[in-house]
Structures are given as structure tokens and as C-alpha cells.
Amino acid sequence: MSLWSRADGRAIDEMRPVTIQRHFLEEGEGSVLVKFGKTTVLCVASFTEGVPRWRKDSGLGWVTGEYAMLPRATSDRSSRESVRGKVGGRTHEISRLVGRSLRAAVNMQALGDNTIVLDCDVLQADGGTRTASITGAFVALADAVNWAVAKGIMKPAPILTDSISAVSAGIVDGHAVLDLPYEEDSRADTDMNVVGTGSGKFIEIQGTAEHEPFSRDELGTILDLASIGNAQLAKIQREALLGENAIDARIIGGAW
Amino acid sequence: MSLWSRADGRAIDEMRPVTIQRHFLEEGEGSVLVKFGKTTVLCVASFTEGVPRWRKDSGLGWVTGEYAMLPRATSDRSSRESVRGKVGGRTHEISRLVGRSLRAAVNMQALGDNTIVLDCDVLQADGGTRTASITGAFVALADAVNWAVAKGIMKPAPILTDSISAVSAGIVDGHAVLDLPYEEDSRADTDMNVVGTGSGKFIEIQGTAEHEPFSRDELGTILDLASIGNAQLAKIQREALLGENAIDARIIGGAW
Amino acid sequence: MSLWSRADGRAIDEMRPVTIQRHFLEEGEGSVLVKFGKTTVLCVASFTEGVPRWRKDSGLGWVTGEYAMLPRATSDRSSRESVRGKVGGRTHEISRLVGRSLRAAVNMQALGDNTIVLDCDVLQADGGTRTASITGAFVALADAVNWAVAKGIMKPAPILTDSISAVSAGIVDGHAVLDLPYEEDSRADTDMNVVGTGSGKFIEIQGTAEHEPFSRDELGTILDLASIGNAQLAKIQREALLGENAIDARIIGGAW
Amino acid sequence: MSLWSRADGRAIDEMRPVTIQRHFLEEGEGSVLVKFGKTTVLCVASFTEGVPRWRKDSGLGWVTGEYAMLPRATSDRSSRESVRGKVGGRTHEISRLVGRSLRAAVNMQALGDNTIVLDCDVLQADGGTRTASITGAFVALADAVNWAVAKGIMKPAPILTDSISAVSAGIVDGHAVLDLPYEEDSRADTDMNVVGTGSGKFIEIQGTAEHEPFSRDELGTILDLASIGNAQLAKIQREALLGENAIDARIIGGAW
Amino acid sequence: MSLWSRADGRAIDEMRPVTIQRHFLEEGEGSVLVKFGKTTVLCVASFTEGVPRWRKDSGLGWVTGEYAMLPRATSDRSSRESVRGKVGGRTHEISRLVGRSLRAAVNMQALGDNTIVLDCDVLQADGGTRTASITGAFVALADAVNWAVAKGIMKPAPILTDSISAVSAGIVDGHAVLDLPYEEDSRADTDMNVVGTGSGKFIEIQGTAEHEPFSRDELGTILDLASIGNAQLAKIQREALLGENAIDARIIGGAW
Amino acid sequence: MSLWSRADGRAIDEMRPVTIQRHFLEEGEGSVLVKFGKTTVLCVASFTEGVPRWRKDSGLGWVTGEYAMLPRATSDRSSRESVRGKVGGRTHEISRLVGRSLRAAVNMQALGDNTIVLDCDVLQADGGTRTASITGAFVALADAVNWAVAKGIMKPAPILTDSISAVSAGIVDGHAVLDLPYEEDSRADTDMNVVGTGSGKFIEIQGTAEHEPFSRDELGTILDLASIGNAQLAKIQREALLGENAIDARIIGGAW
């Protein structure tokens, strides 16, 4: 086991280089380009006043997400879902995950009668597109909330209760590793996506035994790695949001 | 806390009454009506020779699942997905889960150049439709494999490596409980679906903080409950398959 | 001709065993499992207050039907219409027939500002799925009307003007026979579906020369058989509705 | 009752003026403009060598039909089914009826490995569009068969076993009448479409009690009228096909 | 070059025979059958009071177009877009062109709170279907406006500011030619569709180098030919509209 | 008129700042980020061996394009075409334009049995998205051809016969101007998109009178401006392709 090493030379608990570029485009109340290694996702937040019809008169806001891949995000071109005329199962599943994860960080009463849509479009995919999407979308969400507060639409209260990020961890060649690129992901025995808060709690855990069922011990090891990853991501998000063009820190609550 | 009790009077680690009725219909190489309390799912296995085009010449078989709800499975009627012209995100997500879960139990080389489709149609829904579907679909799958072995299409080897079942557990009113009906599911803080093997390992874990992020300790408690539930389900599956019209026990491997 | 006999040994004017099981599920204002031999259909009635937009302010109620087959209702699995993204011609045609047939028995003024949808889902198909659907749906419809009367939503008047049932008859191997299973249906020269009332009148006649044009005399013989079948079905419906958990008999008018 | 008369002054057993214009366009192996009064349908036959995949190697040909209405065929414009993205139930039902009716007249063995598609596009609708479609499509079908025989693709045998036409009859204001325009059709108690052969037999009967169940006697009266109408239509078809640019009469068999 | 001639013997600046038949059908506020040689298009105008929702309260009317081809308009049958479940790119493109072109001739304020839809259905296609559609649709539009003025819905003002027609011109075998049939269109180096007004101005120019880029000089020659064509078409439109059943000439403004 | 000036201060014949960034992503045989001012388009070329079925055995290659906008490319979010289930008319129209324009520059025989797809995804839209798409897609196309030549799949011959670019010009407030941003485009009287070659010829001209018909003189002025723009774009393309990581110049023919 001492001779085993990852194809890209990383330690087992080491993330790929992560960058978060805010204000990538001018359109969008938040516009973030996030990279986990080669994986590149454009996360754009759209703020609109009002909520969907079924949410009317509840006094609560709404946050939702849509995920998609450009046709040549991967090494082979895929046909567009618009051309095929329907959204595929994987797209549906990840869109729902993104929205659900971010909603967990939002004080809907504080958001009030407003809706924020997070569009996560994968420009390049090399494993971890859903975790990069959630991580980048949180930053775009914070920018959108900050925009609304600056506009006076909402008050500078902790509308976001904590930060949210996501990372994958899994078992490859019998080794538990953090943040799997496509090369590892495609042959992992177990692959888990963990959405966590800045204060170290869990929002969503999705673990799948791709080839071998996994034990309670293996699960523990994977969760340990994921927690290391999410702690790093929370720090990077914080630096991005409080660096240049810092947001009003009061809009994010908790230990953050 | 001593005064709290579940609306249906169950202990926190008690399943709803579970029944598995094999040979419910004559069509289908496996035809199982499974009930978790009021939740009622018809699971039908269709065995066909040959595999999908992208799997050709691999020497490997294929197993997939499709999940759907009848329009009046719930207390309000929903419009049909066929009439709306597209499959919704939730349906897609559960269909993918059912297929992925069952594939984890199949020795694809032993299955050879054959495909089995598991159709899980929810006749009545009261929470836990996906876990009942997986639990029932495994029995239908075993019946289909048994049928093929009896027909001489495959040899009586452990084509299924273990049994597979699924159960939900979660935190309701601050209490960890097993097998949530709709009434509990709709107000749970955390809801987890756990797919496990007869030998106690995990195939898939999906846990979502619906209202409150959850801690590592809470996760541990939920997994303990789920393991209790899956052990009971494995026993019920075994009794169903080895009772009247018993299958050839050699087709399921492991401790089973 | 004396040597000819039906594959299942029935007399030419003999129905397959027909069973009608009310209250099959708890959801649905009416929930009926109907069997014509192996053909098995779940008929569920959904009662809602209000009518479709185009019917608003007319003072008239509305009744409609939807028919569908589960993918493995037949000996070969069919792909789902939801997955294919459109409802097929045959499904459309039968859904329209079910709704039209039942509407013929409803006093829309007495139904008032209410809608009843009849979902007929074929669990197993062996010929006669549309006739079993109509026959079972009438019982579910009566249960739904009875439910609304019991709830005080409508008054106990003859909201249903008569009972409605349907049966097939046709010419096989030169012999006119009643209630064709798939084996006969697929090679019939002429196949006719007849929807009739409890008092012996016709609601809908659909006769098709599958292989040979038919004469006025042959038509007469087929209609005679169909009338025998519908009379038996009306009796079975009456027994089901007035047996255990009897409905309020005043809601069905006429000789019934 | 002696004072009752039809809005357009016709006798109860009188057809509207029927015209059949062959070779309406140059494209199409048959191209027929048929009128039943104001109802105007363009029926075009397309002959192609080969049969659909599921019919391969059967030695049998194939005939099918497609029916559609132009958006402004009626007094109010309807949106296009192509724009709505799906074919409606009524369109499906009539397309299937057209194909089924014409196939009843075709000797599929004599047609051999060839397919004929009949497109019936309603330019203007005033009741009876399906009966005009079938009547016109038969003439286009005969022209297409004649074309193939003239080309030497098929031999001059009775590929068509008889002529096929269709007409409606029904009960309006208590009076049985033939060939209902929209004004009568929309308020008929019973409406029946009858597809018949040139030799007076039935291919398809579809009768619906729109408002009142009908008796065996009323059915008899309606069928009498329909037979009068179909006999007239067969004569008009014959004159059209054997007049100018006469077809080879040997391709249609029977008494025709 | 002196020996070159067009397959149909026309001069290079000669249109095919153009006919415009008004009142082709009774339904439709305008109903025009237009022919450019064999190309045959039915153009029907539907006038409705009110405008689309997004146009409400603007005081402006709306005019739009829909273009489609019958399945056997061409020498090979195409499948219907309704059956395929979507409108193709070419159909979309031409529908948009028709609507845009006609709107250019409409005084939307004078049209007021009314909508006119132009349906252009190609019965037979031999090149130039979009130019024939626009040319015929203008006449149907004028008839619809005339109908509304006659009804008193609008005042007899110049609601149409000019006449609109369209023609193709292009370079075939190195020769600039007017009004290309399919045989020329399919092998043209450059093909241009020019929509013009009765007073000789341009509404829309679409020129495509199908095989060879074209120069400014070639463009000039093509535009000269198109202007000749559009002048002839304007004259034919005028004769059609002011001949039998002449419209009120005041509804069309300008030199017309 | 001397006081009129453009909102962004440009001269009437001045392009917005144009940048072309090659190798924007690692996936794609060509990957170009092109900007015309704020308008930002990602153009990715996908090279695959083989051609579409209908092109088989022709000895000719194939090039096609697909255009789409991300949901928040504009100031208001649009719903995704994949979610709506169909591609809109505008998207269809521009996709067809992109493919047609690029094909005009390709020697299909030299391309041989290979296909190149150009995906143009608009990240941010401020007018001129179709012209930026074509301009950027040509550079991605050249990179893809260069890649194939470097790989030895094709020989270093002039597979591209010339460079291709596109620009808009139009009449705003009575002034002819080059390269219209959204603010000008939305109120232009005439708007023209001109696709040209590096050697100054035309590939496609699309000019529309949005509010006022235009004259032959105005057309001339607009074309003059467009030629100025396309000459500048050809120079920028050339600098991009022959600068850092220069392509093999032999793959582009003509004066280029």
C-alpha cells in the first residue's frame, strides 16, 4: 500500500486546486466561475421579486437551482438536451440537489417575497461537477443577497444561516481519497458526495457503492475526508466573499 | 421526551407491517406486491434475452429499473406524466436509484447476455415508496433469475451476490425514528434512505437535512435504525422467497 | 361446426369469470379492481369540487376518463408512454371512449359544480381491457357519487341515470362468440365492443371487420350476444354495489 | 312532425353534393380533392417500395393513413398540433380509423413488399370530415395502385378486393337523417359513422349516444340510411375512377 | 454562354406563371390559393379581436404568420411535424419571415386591438414556397382587413401602408436568374429571397452563397432581377384585389 | 445631425472592442472565447471521424453549428429550452445560419470522411450574438482542422478556402452604423447581418426593415460599413491564429 499513489500526485486528503472568480460576467446578481482542477462551472444567480404561484402569500422566499452541461464539456460531445427535447435523469437529479442544498442555508422568512435562481452551467467536466456547482452557487447566492441588501430590497440580517459547500470522497483501489477527478470517479468502488455547512454539519449525504458494498467503517473514513474538504472550501468561499469587493458580512449568520 | 409517541403508536425502531406477495399477477417473470403499511407497490420483473446496444459484446448482463406512481396513489390526484409529455425529476431520480441499487447485487458476468427490467408502480403512497420499491423489486428480480435458471437459460450459480433492501430513517420532532410514513416524512428535520445488503453492508445512503443540518452523531443514530430495519426486511424477503414456491437457493450468494 | 369449441371451453354466449372488488385501496373516492378472466384493471374515481375552465358557470358537472397499461401488462414488456414522451393513439382512443361512455349515465345538472375523473390502469391484459375498464369504472363512479352524497356535497337524487357496462363480441373461426380473450381477439374476423345500459339500450357500438367485411345478419347475432353479456355485467355490478358496504340506491335511477 | 325539415332543405336520406376531383395536384401517386358539401379534404396517396421494419419478410404490403386539419378549417382557428408538440386524441383516433378501413379492402399479399400512405388533410370542415376522408382516400389509393401497375411494379390483379366508402347517419330532433353537417352533428342524440364496401357489407360501425341511449330499432333505421349513402358514394367513386383517365378496372375485385 | 437556356425555357428575368385565387374557401376572413408555377400555397387569414397578452394595453394590433408543408408537397413524402412532436428549424425560420414581412406593411395603431394570423400551408412545393407564401398572404391579409372594415370593426383608413410581395433570384450556372424552381434552386451558387414593397423599397433581403461567395456586383444584378419580379407581383396582387369582389382601395396606402 | 452621437461614443464605422481567446478550455479540438464588447460567446469545435448517415459514401465531410444562450445571458433570465422541451425559432434560425456560413469556407472533399460540430454558447448577450458566434466559430474551426492535420488525420492542404467573419450594420435614428449593441439593435429601423470572407466577398446577407422599408442607396451604405467591419475581423482572426500557438497556415487558402 505504501507504493500506491494518485495519478495526479495528490495526497489522499488533498483537494485539487480550487479557484472562485466572482463577477465573472456583468449580467446576473451573482456571477461566479468556479474551478475544481479542470472542472469549470459558471454559477449565475438571478434575483427576482415575487415567488412562484404555489408559494404565494406564505411570507416565504424561494431558492432553486438548474444544472446543465455544455455539449463539449467532456471529452466526447453529447447532444443538447434542448435538441433531444427533454432533460435527462442525471440533469434532473443534480438540479434538484443544488436547489435543495442551497435552500438549507436560507432563512426563507428573511428572504421574504423574493426568488433566487442559481444556474450552474458546466463549461468543462472532470469529475465533481455537482460539488463544484454547489460550492460556486453558494458564492453567487451570497452575492445576489448582498446585491439586494445594497439595493435596500432586504435588510442586512443573516438571510443566509451558514455557508454551504460540497465535495466528493470515495474509495479507489481500496484507498479512501478526497475530491475525485473523472479518472478516479469512473473506477471508484464507492463514491460519496457530501454537502456540508461552514460550521461542520451535514446538509446532504449521497453515497453509492458502485462496485462493492461498503461498511460502516469505510463510511466513517470517507466522511472524515469530506469534512476536511468542506472545511477548506468554506475557507476559500470566505476569502472570496470577504476579499476584493467584500460583501456585507452581516448577511451570513452562524460562526461564519 | 418520555411523553412523545408516534402518531401510529409504533416504537421508534419498529417497521410498519410489511407484506410481500409473490406471483401477484401471471404476467412477468417476477410479479410482487409489496406493502409497507399503506404504501403499496407492484414490482414486476421482465426478463429478456440480449442486452442494450451500448452493452453488446461485453459478456455482461444488464439490470435496470423504472418507477412511477399511478395518478391517484396519493390523497390528491396528480396528472399523468405521459399526458404531461415528460418524466418528472423525482421519478427520474428514483428510477435511477432502483436500478443502481439492484445492479449492486448482480453478478453481471453470471447474468450473461440477458437483461432484466424492474417496473415499480406505486398503487398507493404513504411515505417510503422508494424503499418499498427496492425491497419488492429485489424479490421480483430473484424470481426472474429463478425462472431463467429453471428454464435452463442460466446455470444455478449465485447470480445475485446478496439480498438488497431499503428503508428510511430520520429525525422527527427531535426523535430518530425508523420507516417514516408520509405524516412523519413531510415534517422530518432529516430524512435518510438507506439501501443495504442482507449481510449488513451499505449500497446507497441518501440523507437530506430538510430543515436542520445534522451532526455526525445524529447520522450514526439514523444509520443504526436503518440497519435494524434492513435486517428485518432481509428476513422477510428470505421467508417470502424460500416459503411457498421456493426459489432455488443457490442463485443468491453470500451469507444469505 | 359441432366439433368446434373455444380454447378455454366456454359456451359461445358465456362470459369469463368476472369479479368486482370495491375498496381495493384506501385512496380514491372509488377504488375498484375488476377482472374479466385474467384481464385485471384498477379503476379509481377521484372526486373534486369545481369543473374545468371551459365548463365554468354552466351549472353542469364533468366526468372524464384516463386509460393506461402498465408496461408489463402483456406478455412482452412495452416501453412507458411517459418515457416515450407521448400518449399513443390507442391509449387516447380508449381514454376518450371511457369518458364518453360514463358521461352518458350522468345527470350533469344533478352532479353540479363537481368533477369526477376515472383512472383505469390495466395491471394485466388478456383481451377486453376497454370493456373491463368501463364496467369497473362505473362501479368506482357510483362509489364516488355515493361518497359525495354521504358527505352532504350532493343530495341523494338519481345522479346516475342508469348503470353502464361494456363487453366485446365477435366472429372467430366463423362463430359468433361473447367476451373475447386475447387469443380469440387477435384472430377474430370481426370484433365489436358494445357499451350498454342496465335497461338494455346502447351507449356506444364499435365494430370492426378485422379480416372480412360483415353483413347485417352477422351484426345482429353479435349484438344479441353483447346484450346477453351486458345484462350479466349489470347484475354483477348491482350485486357489488348493493352487497357489503351498500351504496345509497337512490343515486342510480331507472329500472336499476 | 310533418312540419319538420332539415336546415339545408335535404330529404332525410339525401347526401350533400359530393364531388371527387382526381389529379388535383401533380405530386402524389394519387391526389384527390373530395367534397361533401362544404367539407373539403385533400387525400394524397404516397407509394413507396418496402414495408415498415416490423412487417419485413412477411411477404405482405402495408397501408396506413394520417388525418389532420388545417388550423382554419373551422370557423374558429385552432392552434397547430405541430406547434403544440403533440397529436391530439381525436386526430389519432381518426388516423387509425382511416388506415384500418382502407386496409380492409387491400389484398396485402398482392400488394407485396410495398407501402401506401394516405394523407387526409382537411382544408375545410363542416361535419363528416372522417367519412369524406375515407371516401376520398379510397380513390387516391386506387390511383396509387393503378400507377404501380402501370409502372410494372405490380401485376394487374384485384389488389383491392372491393371499394370502400363511409358516411354518417344519426338522430336529430328525433328524426333519423343521413350525412350530418356540423349544424346537425353538434346537436344529434345519436351519431353513427359507417364504413361500407361497394358490395354492401360493413367494415366499421361506430355509433355513439351523444345525449340519449339508443334502441335496437333506432340502430336499424340508422344503418338503413347509411347503406343508402354508401351505395351512392360507391357509384360516385366508380364514375370518378372509370371516367376521364380511367384506371385499369382489373385492380379492383368483387362485384365492383 | 449564348447557348445556355433555362430548363423551362423562361427568360432570365421572367417569372413563372403566377395566379392568385381569392375566396378559395369559405372559412377564413381571407382565403387565397397562390401559384408560382407548380408551387401551390393556401394562405388563410384569421381575424380575431384582441391581441396577445404581452401586447395588451399598447393600443397596437398584431400580425403573425405560420408556415407549414403538407407531407406530400414534395416528390418524397416527409413525416408530419405534429407526429415528430416538434417544428423543424426551416419551418420556424420561414414562419418568422412571413410574420415579420407582413408586419412591415401594417399600421399597427390603425389595426387597433385586433390580431390577424396568416396560415400558409404549402400544398405543392417546387421552389419559392416562402416567396409565394408572402405574396399570397398579403392578399389574404388585405381581404381580412377589408372584411373588418366592411363589418365596421375598423375605419376605412390605410391600415396597410403598402403592398408586400417576395421573389427569389440567384445565380445558376453563372447566370443570374429570377424566380428559381426547385431544379434551379438546388444547384444555385447563390440564392436570394427579396421581400419588397409595391413602391419598390426593400423589407427583407436574405442572400446565401450556397457554393461560391458572391461579389458586390453579383449582388447588384440579383437585386435588379428581384425588383423586376416584385414589380410584376405587385401588379398581379393589385389586379386580384381590385378585380372581381374588389376591396375598398382606401385600406392600402402609398402609391398603391 | 452633427450633434448626434452613439451612446457608447463610437464612430459610426467603429467596431466595439473585439477579443478572441483561443484554447479557453482544454476540451474541444478548438475552444475560443470571443467578445464583441460585452457580448461573450464560447465557441467549441468538436472533430469526429465519420459523417452523418445521409452523407455516407459521398467522399465529403460535414460541418454544422449549434447556437444557444445560457439562461442569464441577458438582463432578464429566460427559461432553458431543455426545460421547455423544445428549441425556439430564433435558436433554430441562428444555428442554421452558423452552420451554413462556415460550410461556405470548407473544402468538403479535403475534409474527407470527417465531421466538425461548432457549438456557440452565448454566456453574455449585448447584441450581435450571431455575428460574434460566426466570427469565433471560424477560429475554433481552424484550430480543429489544424489539430487534425497535426494528428496526421488530414494532409496540410487548404481545407478552409478562406476566412469567414460576420458583423451587423444598420440604420439607427437615421444614421448608418456598424456593429450594433442591444441598445441600438432594439430600436434600429433596419438591421443587417453580413457574413463575409477574408477576401471581401459575401457569404450571407440578412437585412430586415424593422420599422421602415429601406432603399437601394441605404442598402449600399450599410454594406459599405459591414465590409469595413469584416475586414477588421479578418485581421483580428488572422492575428489570433498566427500569433501564439500559431496554426499551420497552409490549411487556409486564398489571399488569407
Side-chain angles (χ1 to χ4, degrees), chain C:
Chain C
M1 188 161 154
S2 58
L3 295 179
W4 185 84
S5 68
R6 300 176 79 172
D8 56 10
R10 276 187 289 151
I12 58 167
D13 61 352
E14 187 182 350
M15 299 282 303
R16 288 176 285 178
V18 173
T19 64
I20 291 177
Q21 181 178 353
R22 288 166 63 214
H23 308 301
F24 180 68
L25 295 171
E26 294 179 44
E27 297 291 0
E29 282 66 60
S31 179
V32 169
L33 192 76
V34 61
K35 296 190 185 186
F36 278 30
K38 279 174 57 183
T39 292
T40 307
V41 186
L42 176 58
C43 304
V44 182
S46 294
F47 185 101
T48 49
E49 302 193 28
V51 290
R53 188 176 319 178
W54 54 268
R55 190 97 170 171
K56 282 258 159 66
D57 302 320
S58 64
L60 303 175
W62 185 242
V63 170
T64 186
E66 290 195 7
Y67 166 98
M69 294 230 294
L70 292 200
R72 188 58 195 278
T74 48
S75 61
D76 290 317
R77 185 179 185 275
S78 308
S79 62
R80 289 173 190 268
E81 294 187 324
S82 58
V83 170
R84 272 182 275 158
K86 53 182 168 183
V87 171
R90 181 181 173 278
T91 297
H92 254 146
E93 192 173 314
I94 301 179
S95 291
R96 287 160 55 87
L97 171 62
V98 171
R100 206 164 54 223
S101 297
L102 294 174
R103 279 193 294 278
V106 178
N107 179 337
M108 291 296 176
Q109 248 148 345
L111 181 56
D113 198 30
N114 299 297
T115 296
I116 302 176
V117 180
L118 280 309
D119 283 294
C120 300
D121 286 90
V122 179
L123 306 188
Q124 191 164 264
D126 183 30
T129 62
R130 79 187 70 188
T131 54
S133 293
I134 292 167
T135 303
F138 174 76
V139 176
L141 172 63
D143 265 330
V145 169
N146 189 60
W147 173 90
V149 167
K151 282 267 182 191
I153 298 171
M154 298 186 300
K155 296 220 179 102
I159 294 154
L160 304 176
T161 56
D162 204 338
S163 70
I164 301 284
S165 65
V167 72
S168 69
I171 296 175
V172 179
D173 301 341
H175 300 261
V177 290
L178 178 65
D179 186 25
L180 287 65
Y182 177 75
E183 179 272 331
E184 290 179 353
D185 185 53
S186 58
R187 61 198 175 83
D189 283 322
T190 296
D191 179 23
M192 184 163 284
N193 292 292
V194 178
V195 186
T197 66
S199 51
K201 288 199 153 191
F202 297 118
I203 293 296
E204 177 116 7
I205 290 178
Q206 291 192 344
T208 304
E210 303 280 357
H211 298 108
E212 281 295 309
F214 55 93
S215 67
R216 189 77 174 259
D217 280 355
E218 288 167 318
L219 172 60
T221 308
I222 291 171
L223 289 174
D224 289 343
L225 285 176
S227 294
I228 292 170
N230 274 323
Q232 289 182 22
L233 290 170
K235 190 158 165 289
I236 293 168
Q237 288 175 323
R238 189 180 171 83
E239 288 166 0
L241 285 166
L242 298 183
E244 202 178 347
N245 287 311
I247 62 165
D248 182 333
R250 288 171 296 176
I251 65 171
I252 307 185
W256 198 83

Side-chain angles (χ1 to χ4, degrees), chain B residues 123-136:
Chain B
L123 305 189
Q124 191 163 264
D126 182 30
T129 61
R130 78 186 73 189
T131 54
S133 292
I134 292 168
T135 303

Side-chain angles (χ1 to χ4, degrees), chain E residues 83-249:
Chain E
V83 170
R84 272 182 275 159
K86 53 182 169 185
V87 170
R90 181 181 174 279
T91 298
H92 254 146
E93 193 174 313
I94 301 179
S95 291
R96 287 159 55 87
L97 172 63
V98 170
R100 206 165 54 224
S101 297
L102 294 174
R103 280 193 293 277
V106 178
N107 180 335
M108 291 296 175
Q109 248 149 347
L111 180 55
D113 198 30
N114 299 298
T115 296
I116 303 176
V117 180
L118 280 309
D119 284 293
C120 300
D121 286 90
V122 179
L123 305 189
Q124 191 163 262
D126 184 30
T129 61
R130 78 187 72 190
T131 55
S133 292
I134 292 167
T135 303
F138 175 76
V139 177
L141 172 64
D143 264 329
V145 169
N146 189 60
W147 173 91
V149 167
K151 282 267 180 189
I153 298 171
M154 298 185 301
K155 297 220 177 102
I159 294 154
L160 303 176
T161 55
D162 204 336
S163 71
I164 301 283
S165 65
V167 72
S168 70
I171 297 175
V172 179
D173 302 339
H175 300 261
V177 291
L178 178 64
D179 186 24
L180 289 65
Y182 176 75
E183 179 272 329
E184 290 179 352
D185 185 53
S186 58
R187 61 197 175 84
D189 283 322
T190 296
D191 179 23
M192 184 163 283
N193 292 293
V194 179
V195 185
T197 66
S199 51
K201 289 201 153 190
F202 298 116
I203 294 297
E204 177 117 7
I205 291 178
Q206 291 191 345
T208 304
E210 302 281 357
H211 297 108
E212 280 296 309
F214 55 94
S215 67
R216 189 75 175 258
D217 280 355
E218 289 168 316
L219 173 60
T221 308
I222 291 171
L223 290 174
D224 289 343
L225 286 176
S227 294
I228 292 170
N230 274 324
Q232 288 182 22
L233 290 170
K235 189 158 167 290
I236 293 168
Q237 289 175 322
R238 189 180 172 83
E239 288 167 359
L241 285 166
L242 297 183
E244 200 179 349
N245 287 311
I247 62 166
D248 182 334

Side-chain angles (χ1 to χ4, degrees), chain B residues 238-249:
Chain B
R238 189 179 172 85
E239 287 167 1
L241 285 167
L242 297 183
E244 202 179 346
N245 286 312
I247 62 164
D248 182 333

Side-chain angles (χ1 to χ4, degrees), chain B residues 67-91:
Chain B
Y67 167 97
M69 294 229 295
L70 292 201
R72 189 59 195 278
T74 48
S75 60
D76 289 318
R77 186 179 184 274
S78 308
S79 62
R80 289 173 190 270
E81 295 188 322
S82 57
V83 170
R84 273 182 275 160
K86 53 182 168 183
V87 171
R90 181 181 173 278
T91 298

